[in-house]
Amino acid sequence: MLDEIHKRQHVVNRNRPKRSAKGDAFSLFAITALRLAGRLTAAGDDLARPAGQTSARWQVLAGAQSGTHSVAQIARLLGVARQGVQRLADTLEADRLISYVDNPQHRRAKLVKLTNEGDARLAAIEAAQADWADRLGQSFTPAELEAARGVMTRLIETLDAETGKA
């Protein structure tokens, strides 16, 4: 049985494309970033749960905080599909946490604005997040976190340019 596994693994390894050292380093970075994204989403869900929200709903509430963004603009800021943000926004509106208001820049694309209840829920989440961020931030220097943020920002810009979203 081990011989059969070894033979199959040899075929898999033989057919794998070779990457450069930089490509290997990037691939490991991307895998780590995806693992981190999953953990951050789970932590966000835990932080938002006492306010009756999820990470996704929290992100839309935060996007509505200024009252100056449309659903499409919030989606672009988050780097996700407009349709998904629209579904969340419609649910938040049904729950009376946001409202749609006229947009002086666009007749059809309404702006998303927090209601008083939405603002209270977001404030509760932000208070929990502040304690969480302070606790986790103790494990790193500000310079380390700024360097990591800089790499991620550059990668976002590079991906946007490559896909024509810049």
Side-chain angles (χ1 to χ4, degrees):
M1 176 150 160
L2 288 176
D3 286 338
E4 183 61 30
I5 292 172
H6 180 71
K7 284 179 192 174
R8 282 186 272 167
Q9 191 61 41
H10 175 72
V11 171
V12 169
N13 288 338
R14 185 181 67 218
N15 292 331
R16 283 216 170 116
K18 297 289 184 202
R19 289 187 298 256
S20 66
K22 288 181 179 182
D24 283 341
F26 175 79
S27 293
L28 291 172
F29 173 83
I31 290 166
T32 304
L34 291 170
R35 291 177 61 213
L36 175 60
R39 284 167 174 80
L40 288 173
T41 298
D45 286 342
D46 290 344
L47 291 168
R49 189 172 295 112
Q53 303 305 305
T54 64
S55 287
R57 288 170 59 109
W58 170 15
Q59 290 176 55
V60 176
L61 288 172
Q65 190 169 27
S66 70
T68 61
H69 295 105
S70 67
V71 165
Q73 289 169 323
I74 292 171
R76 276 193 296 277
L77 289 168
L78 297 174
V80 298
R82 183 201 55 79
Q83 294 86 343
V85 174
Q86 186 68 63
R87 280 191 296 275
L88 287 169
D90 289 345
T91 302
L92 290 167
E93 181 193 34
D95 292 346
R96 299 177 190 216
L97 300 178
I98 65 155
S99 62
Y100 294 113
V101 297
D102 287 336
N103 182 347
Q105 305 296 320
H106 195 284
R107 214 168 8 122
R108 288 183 22 202
K110 301 282 187 189
L111 298 177
V112 183
K113 183 178 179 190
L114 287 178
T115 63
N116 288 338
E117 180 62 22
D119 188 51
R121 301 269 185 110
L122 182 59
I125 297 167
E126 288 174 338
Q129 191 276 344
D131 290 339
W132 175 80
D134 286 346
R135 189 174 63 254
L136 289 180
Q138 295 300 313
S139 299
F140 306 93
T141 67
E144 288 174 316
L145 293 171
E146 181 57 29
R149 189 184 70 76
V151 169
M152 289 187 286
T153 300
R154 251 180 67 209
L155 179 54
I156 290 167
E157 291 167 355
T158 301
L159 289 169
D160 285 352
E162 190 169 283
T163 59
K165 294 181 181 179

